């Protein structure tokens, strides 16, 4: 069971990037998928969430209105479309997935609730 994150790179402020998280060895049909990011010297923070069971999406306040999470069922891939990027969005971005039951309604914001992680992809927003 693997997750492969890709799509990072260098972009100017105000630009856009699309990150991909491709799953192999399992289908994402019954999984919740989260995107997290970790800037140098900072804790890993939650960015966005997609619930495959019902299509719910959630966003951190810092990215709401600028980032969009979506899923391509045929490709078993989740995307994070990032627009109006800011220097403070610079970080290594990670995707994660979990299919188990959770006690908390907001479990998806907790990195410790995810069982599967992809490797990170670096996003640098700089002029």
């Amino acid at each position: 069971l693997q997750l492969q994150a890709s799509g990072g790179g260098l972009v100017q402020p105000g630009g856009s990037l699309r990150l991909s998280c491709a799953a192999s060895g399992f289908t994402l049909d019954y999984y919740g998928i989260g995107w997290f990011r970790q800037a140098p010297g900072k804790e890993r923070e939650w960015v966005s969430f997609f619930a495959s069971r019902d299509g719910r999406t959630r966003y951190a306040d810092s990215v709401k209105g600028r980032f969009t999470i979506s899923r391509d069922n045929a490709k078993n891939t989740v995307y994070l479309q990032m627009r109006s990027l800011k220097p403070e969005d610079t970080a290594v971005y990670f995707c994660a997935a979990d299919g188990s039951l959770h006690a908390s309604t907001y479990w998806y914001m907790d990195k410790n609730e995810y069982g599967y992680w992809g490797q990170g992809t670096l996003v640098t927003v700089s002029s």
Side-chain angles (χ1 to χ4, degrees):
L1 307 182
Q2 288 188 328
L3 295 173
Q4 179 79 28
S6 62
L10 173 64
V11 63
Q12 292 187 342
S16 299
L17 276 177
R18 189 179 77 162
L19 305 184
S20 300
C21 178
S24 60
F26 67 110
T27 175
L28 291 172
D29 284 353
Y30 300 103
Y31 282 74
I33 301 95
W35 281 98
F36 290 76
R37 66 187 181 186
Q38 188 165 15
K42 293 190 175 182
E43 292 285 320
R44 190 170 299 189
E45 66 172 357
W46 170 72
V47 174
S48 185
F49 172 76
F50 183 93
S52 292
R53 293 175 188 267
D54 57 15
R56 276 183 304 133
T57 58
R58 295 291 185 269
Y59 301 93
D61 288 344
S62 59
V63 306
K64 200 171 294 182
R66 300 188 298 121
F67 290 12
T68 303
I69 191 169
S70 63
R71 181 190 163 193
D72 185 325
N73 294 346
K75 295 183 178 180
N76 208 28
T77 298
V78 171
Y79 300 100
L80 185 68
Q81 177 69 52
M82 306 185 296
R83 298 180 176 89
S84 302
L85 283 161
K86 305 174 182 180
E88 51 263 44
D89 293 318
T90 295
V92 177
Y93 284 70
F94 300 88
C95 62
D98 198 86
S100 55
L101 296 177
H102 300 270
S104 169
T105 301
Y106 302 102
W107 68 268
Y108 52 85
M109 299 173 68
D110 184 351
K111 59 183 181 295
N112 297 311
E113 294 287 339
Y114 290 84
Y116 302 100
W117 286 85
Q119 89 294 353
T121 184
L122 177 63
V123 173
T124 304
V125 184
S126 175
S127 55

